[in-house]
Amino acid sequence: MISVSQLKTFTKQIFRQIGFSDADAELATTVLVQADLRGVDSHGVARLAGYVRLYDHGRLNPAPNIQIVHETPSTAVVDGDRGVGLVVGPKAMQIAIEKARVAGTGWVAVRNSNHFGIAGYHAMLALEHDMIGMTMTNAAPLVAPTFSLDKLLGTNPIAVAVPALTQPPFVADFASTAVAYGKMEILQRKGQEAPLGWAQDAQGQPSTDSNPIRNGGALLPLGSDREHGSHKGYGLGAIVDIFSGVLSGANYGPWVPPFATAGFMAAQEGVGAGTGHFFGAMRVDAFRPAEEFKQHMDNWIGAFRKARAVEGKQVLIPGDPEREMEAEREEHGLPLIEPVVQSLRELAERFGVKWE
């Protein structure tokens, strides 16, 4: 276990060591640790060493010139200048929010970025402004579309955050695949197999291999197979890829560069610039009075909370598990498994940063 403050201090120091400004190191740390706080351990400090590897391979610019390269009153394209998505993402979302203030809605496509952490963080930035936030990103091709042996899509997550009045906000944040690749990485660190339905082998057959990519296999779309709706997960992933990559001028499909998982550093020649994201902000009062809308969101959420549930279970609202986990970990600290601790110790030794 480690306290939130200790982990933030350590993480910020590492980002500073590779050239981040104080402000960008603070922002990147906030986004990264928020994943751990919300229980999305696959996207938290377990990925810190991966961002350093991106820097080592010249794929991450620690001091990017993030700029708008095309815009209208309600839209923009942002070039991230190979910055880390943990910094590019929030800044692009703020542009979407500012455009929504003026035009009612704001939409920002991003190119030339890198992995941006949990999608939900960026979507939730809209909540304090009485706006609905939406974020998505494409990712390295680890996923085989329905009936395919080739890997053509990433895990391509979507997040939507909706404000309520007295109820906690609705926050849906999910990959378009049966499982996020980070969950596979956790199983790999623990030496465990994957459940059936998460992956296929090189011949397209169901597999329990937790590292299927290494052996020629692939992750599966949400739904796992055609009979269980994998074509819908494939469609969701394709939409995210088009909005994030084709629309922005980033790479898309099989050309999206890999993150920094060992063995996947080499990126083939692309068709665009870096990784792509897509952000949206919608001012609630552009549709109906915000107070009225949030009252009805309370009513909507309340109806689901009152739903009869199977024995021993309860009906959850998207965002409930993460919110409850955040409260618990803020109080008691963050659990880190030994392989993650070891990766942080190695970073501490390399950069001369104190690790306790």
Side-chain angles (χ1 to χ4, degrees), residues 64-333:
N65 178 24
I66 301 167
Q67 58 182 323
I68 296 173
V69 293
H70 178 77
E71 67 179 324
T72 73
S74 63
T75 68
V77 175
V78 168
D79 189 293
D81 193 25
R82 294 184 299 109
V84 66
L86 304 171
V87 172
V88 177
K91 292 184 178 182
M93 187 61 181
Q94 289 298 338
I95 293 171
I97 289 169
E98 290 306 315
K99 287 188 172 292
R101 287 190 203 281
V102 175
T105 66
W107 305 96
V108 176
V110 176
R111 69 189 188 205
N112 209 10
S113 184
N114 278 292
H115 189 274
F116 77 174
I118 55 170
Y121 176 88
H122 312 292
M124 292 171 66
L125 292 175
L127 294 174
E128 63 184 278
H129 305 285
D130 276 351
M131 295 182 187
I132 295 170
M134 179 185 300
T135 59
M136 55 188 78
T137 182
N138 63 15
L142 306 178
V143 183
T146 303
F147 302 137
S148 176
L149 293 177
D150 293 327
K151 296 180 283 293
L152 297 171
L153 290 171
T155 53
N156 294 7
I158 302 170
V160 177
V162 184
L165 190 62
T166 61
Q167 291 280 356
F170 172 103
V171 183
D173 182 357
F174 56 94
S176 55
T177 44
V179 65
Y181 187 69
K183 299 287 179 61
M184 285 294 208
E185 290 178 309
I186 291 173
L187 293 180
Q188 291 164 22
R189 295 184 194 111
K190 294 180 177 179
Q192 297 176 354
E193 290 189 334
L196 278 173
W198 286 14
Q200 69 182 30
D201 64 19
Q203 289 72 47
Q205 298 302 308
S207 172
T208 60
D209 184 359
S210 62
N211 199 348
I213 312 303
R214 176 188 59 191
N215 300 314
L219 298 186
L220 292 170
L222 186 63
S224 301
D225 56 40
R226 178 64 175 81
E227 288 70 27
H228 294 91
S230 66
H231 57 294
K232 299 176 183 179
Y234 166 28
L236 282 172
I239 290 167
V240 172
D241 198 36
I242 293 167
F243 279 34
S244 300
V246 181
L247 194 60
S248 70
N251 289 297
Y252 49 81
W255 296 281
V256 179
F259 174 51
T261 306
F264 302 109
M265 284 305 302
Q268 59 179 311
E269 184 176 350
V271 292
T275 298
H277 318 309
F278 189 77
F279 301 88
M282 294 179 281
R283 214 175 66 211
V284 169
D285 66 5
F287 298 87
R288 67 186 300 187
E291 192 84 357
E292 179 182 284
F293 169 83
K294 291 192 291 184
Q295 287 174 348
H296 281 278
M297 275 304 300
D298 277 3
N299 192 47
W300 187 95
I301 292 169
F304 282 75
R305 293 208 188 283
K306 294 174 185 174
R308 292 179 302 142
V310 298
E311 187 175 353
K313 303 291 184 181
Q314 67 179 104
V315 178
L316 298 174
I317 306 302
D320 279 351
E322 294 86 351
R323 176 176 49 82
E324 292 167 6
M325 181 66 75
E326 184 173 0
E328 178 182 328
R329 290 185 169 184
E330 281 277 15
E331 181 177 356
H332 300 293

Side-chain angles (χ1 to χ4, degrees), residues 19-80:
F20 282 44
S21 68
D22 279 337
D24 283 357
E26 182 73 33
L27 178 55
T29 295
T30 297
V31 180
L32 201 61
V33 175
Q34 188 70 17
D36 288 301
L37 278 170
R38 292 177 66 79
V40 191
D41 298 340
S42 58
H43 284 56
V45 293
R47 300 230 171 203
L48 182 57
Y51 292 114
V52 174
R53 285 200 296 273
L54 285 179
Y55 167 77
D56 288 340
H57 284 74
R59 288 181 44 205
L60 187 154
N61 180 1
N65 178 24
I66 301 167
Q67 58 182 323
I68 296 173
V69 293
H70 178 77
E71 67 179 324
T72 73
S74 63
T75 68
V77 175
V78 168
D79 189 293

